[in-house]
Amino acid sequence: MSYSVAQLAAATPGNRDRYVDLLRVASLGTVVSGHWLMAAVTPDGIGNLLAVVPGLQVLTWVFQVMPVFFFVGGFSHALSYRSLCRREPGRPVYAAFLRARLRRLLRPTLAFVVAWGAAALAVQLAGGGGGLTGVALRLVTQPLWFIGIYLAMVAFTPPLLRLHERYGWAAFCALVAAAGAVDVLRFALGVPYVEFLNFAFVWLAVHQLGFLRADARAAGGGWGRVPVLLAAAGLGAAALLVAVGPYPLSMVGMPGEKVSNMAPPTFALLCHGLWLVGAVELLRRPATRLLAAPRAWRAVVAANGVAMTAFLWHLTAMLGVYGAQLALGLDLPRPATAAWWAQVPVRLAAAALLTALLVAVFRTFERPAPAGPAPSSGSGPLAAGGITLCLLGVLGLSLTGFGGLLEGHTAVLIVVPVSAPVAVAMVLAGWLLVERPPAPVRTPAASATRDAA
């Protein structure tokens, strides 16, 4: 049974943290808008507006909001896992937790992968795949890196939550210290490959902050001065690191940079994440008052229902708008010129409209599964293996794209070459393992009945 937005909004429990839902939608919406604005497309290819106008890179200190999404994820994962443990006392719930958290994430992702994979194969079999089409085939999967990292956050939630419950702030501080140590080994001592550890330490530290926020909520109070301290210390440390260290100004990756704050993440990006988390928490009270209005809350509920689908398809929409301009012979001004800026509102509106159309087609894959019986514990090792395959496959696909399918194009994932078909196979296999129904539990009564028969 499906419910309308008005029904879902009206059924919202009184103790729900509505601000967290707003942050989830707002952070994804900011990323989408930023990608649309940063794209500097010409008939020769796609560049980055921030590289064309370096002075705009300071804006990434406000608009690079992925840390906020991971913070919200930590908050939600802590509440979800603890709730499941209360409903299934004394039983292993890891597999059930993964299934519950991944259904609304992987289903729209698989729909996106299958649709684009089929389109890419058809285009290349027909002899296409050059020009802007070839760029699109490589580019559209890049946002999947975020899905892969988020899958890792889900997978690590139970063990890290146990560490958090034992050590509290010390567990968070240990992750922060580990991220800093990685950068010392990387930049001061030149240790090779150590930087890739910060894909874990940086994002897990921000995720751990969500656990701490969940504790504050459970205790019925706020954080006190924690948001102010996070914002001040994070902003000050990030500014100092950029001023005197090897870190670039931009908090997103720039083409041709020797060092990127994003890939792999740096300690400067972690400090930036702390500043953002503190800043958004300082806005909690006025935003919560706003969300008490039924109309505002219905808008957040509606957006949450399609946010992941919109995120997956927003680059498709953007490239569709630019492709239409080229196909119709319309002027495509040089990026950052007056004529280019004049076209920005029209391009953004067109991209939003096309994204809405794509959401209307694919939103069904993001709808929650029908309510069923209480989740079963299932097989934890199988589920862990499944999510590992999923996250590696998704990360691999974000690197390879769908270009060069017929030529066997590969990209290096950590140290292993991977192709798009192999990455897709990994995602599908992992999904099946996570979704695999658990074996029925044999009870003495059931065994006696079967033996009597």
Side-chain angles (χ1 to χ4, degrees):
M1 178 183 294
S2 61
Y3 297 92
S4 68
V5 169
Q7 289 173 316
L8 291 172
T12 302
N15 63 347
R16 185 176 183 89
D17 192 328
R18 300 185 178 194
Y19 186 53
V20 165
D21 293 286
L22 175 63
L23 289 180
R24 182 184 296 111
V25 170
S27 57
L28 286 181
T30 301
V31 172
V32 167
S33 302
H35 285 169
W36 286 345
L37 186 60
M38 286 192 302
V41 179
T42 67
D44 301 321
I46 299 180
N48 191 316
L49 176 66
L50 300 181
V52 178
V53 188
L56 295 177
Q57 292 178 16
V58 70
L59 297 179
T60 63
W61 287 52
V62 175
F63 293 110
Q64 167 49 294
V65 293
M66 274 305 182
V68 174
F69 192 92
F70 290 123
F71 164 71
V72 168
F75 176 91
S76 301
H77 295 159
L79 295 184
S80 176
Y81 187 74
R82 287 168 171 170
S83 175
L84 191 56
C85 289
R86 287 193 297 270
R87 298 201 307 270
E88 299 278 326
R91 297 182 63 188
V93 296
Y94 185 72
F97 171 73
L98 291 189
R99 282 197 298 275
R101 301 307 295 178
L102 296 189
R103 277 174 175 163
R104 287 189 65 183
L105 181 66
L106 280 183
R107 286 177 177 173
T109 302
L110 288 173
F112 171 83
V113 168
V114 170
W116 258 107
L121 185 60
V123 166
Q124 292 171 68
L125 285 173
L132 187 60
T133 301
V135 173
L137 294 178
R138 295 191 301 271
L139 186 64
V140 290
T141 64
Q142 286 186 5
L144 292 179
W145 75 265
F146 155 75
I147 305 289
I149 298 296
Y150 196 75
L151 289 173
M153 303 297 102
V154 175
F156 282 113
T157 288
L160 286 178
L161 192 55
R162 286 193 291 271
L163 286 176
H164 162 73
E165 289 167 350
R166 182 171 182 179
Y167 297 108
W169 278 94
F172 163 75
C173 292
L175 288 169
V176 172
V182 164
D183 273 16
V184 171
L185 293 173
R186 175 187 180 184
F187 294 117
L189 302 178
V191 177
Y193 304 114
V194 69
E195 63 267 25
F196 294 104
L197 291 174
N198 267 350
F199 276 113
F201 293 142
V202 167
W203 295 124
L204 286 175
V206 179
H207 189 256
Q208 203 84 359
L209 268 181
F211 296 168
L212 292 159
R213 185 66 188 90
D215 281 357
R217 179 183 183 275
W223 280 26
R225 297 183 59 81
V226 169
V228 174
L229 294 174
L230 285 175
L235 184 59
L240 180 64
L241 289 170
V242 169
V244 303
Y247 305 98
L249 174 65
S250 174
M251 291 297 162
V252 302
M254 290 286 102
E257 278 183 333
K258 291 183 178 179
V259 175
S260 167
N261 279 320
M262 273 292 293
T266 63
F267 190 67
L269 181 65
L270 174 55
C271 294
H272 165 72
L274 301 185
W275 128 252
L276 276 185
V277 169
V280 298
E281 282 295 306
L282 289 172
L283 298 175
R284 172 177 288 274
R285 286 187 179 180
T288 300
R289 289 195 295 268
L290 173 66
L291 293 172
R295 182 176 297 179
W297 178 236
R298 283 197 298 270
V300 172
V301 170
N304 257 304
V306 298
M308 189 54 60
T309 303
F311 174 78
L312 287 166
W313 290 97
H314 77 280
L315 285 186
T316 303
M318 180 198 75
L319 292 166
V321 170
Y322 277 109
Q325 279 189 270
L326 292 173
L328 296 172
L330 300 177
D331 182 34
L332 204 60
R334 189 161 52 86
T337 61
W340 187 90
W341 285 109
Q343 285 189 2
V344 165
V346 177
R347 280 199 304 271
L348 293 182
L353 177 60
L354 187 49
T355 300
L357 293 175
L358 289 166
V359 165
V361 172
F362 292 100
R363 65 176 297 179
T364 185
F365 297 100
E366 194 172 351
R367 287 174 179 159
S376 177
S377 59
S379 170
L382 278 180
I387 196 171
T388 300
L389 282 174
C390 284
L391 71 91
L392 290 176
V394 168
L395 289 174
L397 196 55
S398 73
L399 295 172
T400 65
F402 283 114
L405 286 178
L406 302 182
E407 292 80 22
H409 169 70
T410 64
V412 177
L413 176 62
I414 308 177
V415 294
V416 179
V418 62
S419 65
V422 169
V424 172
M426 292 170 70
V427 174
L428 292 174
W431 165 252
L432 292 174
L433 285 176
V434 172
E435 283 286 306
R436 182 179 181 270
V441 178
R442 293 181 59 184
T443 62
S447 298
T449 301
R450 186 195 65 191
D451 294 341

